[in-house]
Each structure stands twice: as C-alpha cells, then as structure tokens.
Amino acid sequence: SAAFTIAQASKEIEKNILIVCHDADSAQKLANDLEFFLPFFYENALMPEVLHFPGWEFSPYKKLSPSINTRLRRLQIIQKLYEPSAAKKIIISCFAAIVQRTVNKDFFLANRIIVEKGALFDPSELALKLQSLGYTKADPVEDPGCFTVRGGIVDVFSPAHNWPVRLDFLDIEVENLRFFNPLTQRSVTEENANKVSLIPIREIDCRQKSLDTARTRIKEWADHNDIPKSMRDRLAEPLN
C-alpha cells in the first residue's frame, strides 16, 4: 500500500515530509494507515510524528463557518511546525488545505505568550491580550480557546496543550501554574509542565490596526468600482 511504502521510504529522509492527497478523506485515511505501519520500521523514540493538516471544509458559497475543532487543529499543527524540534514529522494534507492562507511564522511567534513560573504579568493586561488573540471569556474553562479571570487566578485553555492551565498570581508574579482536568478540576501531568504556550487561535490578524487597514482598503476598492455605500457597509460589517 501507499502508506507502507511511505513508511519504509521515510527512514531514508532526515527532514520533515509533506504528502499532499487529492482530497480530505484520502489524507485522513493515509494518516491513519501511516500510524499503523510506522512502528514496523522505527523504534518508539525515533518514530516520526504523523500530522494530518485539515482544511476548513466549507463552501465559499454558503454562509457556514469552519468548525472550531478544525480551526484549532490547524493551529496546533502550525505551532508544532513553527517550534524548533529534532523530531521528524510527516505532514499529510490535501491541496485545498495547503493553499488556504494561514498565519505567517513571524506574526505567530511574535504574538504567542510564553508563561513560566516566576514570570511577571498583570492579570488584567493578560486578559486583554488573550482577547486580542481570539480567546473567549468563559467560566468554567472547559474548551480550547477559552479563559477566565477570578482575582489573582487565570484559567486558560490554549490549543497548544491537551489541558487547560491555572495560573496563580501573587500580585503580578506567576507564583504557580498547573494543568488540570476541567471536569474534575484535579491536576494532570502535561509535557513541559513548567511552561505554557498561549498561541493565537485565529489564522488571520484581527488586531485593531489590521482591521482599520482592511476597512480602508474596502472603502478604496468600493469607491474605485462605484460600489454603493450600502453595499460597502455590508462588506465591512463583519470587521466591526
């Protein structure tokens, strides 16, 4: 099978591997098959990580938003690709997914927030920063992309991690951080448990400066093409 051949050939390739399938279903099936065949050729410590990079799976002709799970999965993989790592990765995707524009590396790394024990953050300013990255206030925090602030405690669920994290502040210092199960509130073990990466949860830049630029360009385009103001306002409305 194709998966068997790829798994065998991957041992001769040191860098990350990208495989593009003709559609989303084929990409998902190949990713599943690869995860089955790779253990036949690798020891666990050396086995490449298989990453299925999905598309938004929606039609531009229908007023439907891509699922939150798909959007967060894309960002999880982007995080893994942008982070320096010695582990080899095999990325499986389809043409529609890889040609879709996404967040560039410089913006992504510049706007993520790395929090470690002893770091200095004002909880209120941290909350504003999280909102600018696309996080939503919710109490309790149960889903990726949500956060809440209760006095000197900030709970936040970053797509970069498997569990939400609780940040305990002493004034503006992070006195303690722990990952927890949102159902039981009990602490859980997470890789790199002394550090949390709060990544953007949008693939587009929605900061105020970018939104203002987009509105200006829509107005210029509408004026150049004699588009009525009513239609121009409808185009710009989602940016408000």
Side-chain angles (χ1 to χ4, degrees):
S1 71
F4 181 90
T5 303
I6 293 169
Q8 186 178 38
S10 68
K11 292 203 69 175
E12 307 301 322
I13 303 173
E14 296 182 358
K15 297 183 178 180
N16 292 341
I17 301 168
L18 171 64
I19 301 170
V20 182
C21 301
H22 66 277
D23 60 35
D25 290 340
S26 300
Q28 181 65 73
K29 183 179 185 304
L30 180 58
N32 294 340
D33 291 347
L34 263 178
E35 289 181 336
F36 174 79
F37 284 116
L38 282 172
F40 291 98
F41 299 98
Y42 289 88
E43 297 179 5
N44 286 338
L46 301 175
M47 193 180 307
E49 183 177 10
V50 177
L51 302 174
H52 173 226
F53 188 66
W56 277 7
E57 300 177 346
F58 76 108
S59 168
Y61 305 106
K62 297 180 180 179
K63 293 183 178 180
L64 296 174
S65 298
S67 74
I68 183 65
N69 289 335
T70 297
R71 285 185 286 151
L72 294 179
R73 178 60 180 160
R74 286 173 61 89
L75 288 164
Q76 288 170 349
I77 294 174
I78 289 169
Q79 155 86 0
K80 290 183 178 184
L81 295 177
Y82 286 168
E83 286 280 359
S85 171
K88 183 165 65 179
K89 298 174 178 61
I90 302 178
I91 304 98
I92 314 294
S93 191
C94 63
F95 180 76
I98 63 169
V99 299
Q100 179 185 321
R101 293 190 66 176
T102 187
V103 58
N104 70 62
K105 183 176 182 179
D106 290 341
F107 173 83
F108 188 90
L109 296 180
N111 285 275
R112 67 176 178 168
I113 307 169
I114 303 297
V115 182
E116 299 178 278
K117 185 176 179 180
L120 302 180
F121 290 94
D122 182 288
S124 298
E125 293 182 3
L126 178 60
L128 292 175
K129 178 66 173 177
L130 288 171
Q131 286 181 304
S132 74
L133 296 180
Y135 288 77
T136 303
K137 281 188 175 181
D139 193 4
V141 171
E142 297 178 333
D143 301 309
C146 294
F147 80 98
T148 190
V149 180
R150 297 188 303 275
I153 297 176
V154 177
D155 289 350
V156 57
F157 199 158
S158 168
H161 299 281
N162 296 320
W163 302 100
V165 65
R166 177 160 295 158
L167 307 175
D168 291 314
F169 283 85
L170 180 61
D171 193 16
I172 62 170
E173 181 181 351
V174 179
E175 187 176 30
N176 187 43
L177 64 83
R178 68 177 181 89
F179 291 91
F180 65 94
N181 185 319
L183 298 180
T184 65
Q185 297 295 305
R186 293 182 177 179
S187 298
V188 295
T189 302
E190 175 85 356
E191 188 177 355
N192 296 324
N194 295 319
K195 180 172 68 174
V196 60
S197 178
L198 307 178
I199 65 173
I201 63 166
R202 297 190 183 109
E203 291 188 64
I204 56 175
D205 184 358
C206 289
R207 293 173 299 175
Q208 192 60 49
K209 180 179 179 181
S210 297
L211 295 176
D212 291 341
T213 299
R215 293 189 193 96
T216 299
R217 290 182 178 177
I218 288 174
K219 182 180 184 304
E220 292 173 349
W221 173 82
D223 291 344
H224 178 75
N225 291 279
D226 296 324
I227 304 297
K229 183 178 182 301
S230 58
M231 185 176 293
R232 183 190 77 197
D233 291 344
R234 285 174 55 193
L235 291 171
E237 185 178 0
L239 301 176
N240 295 329

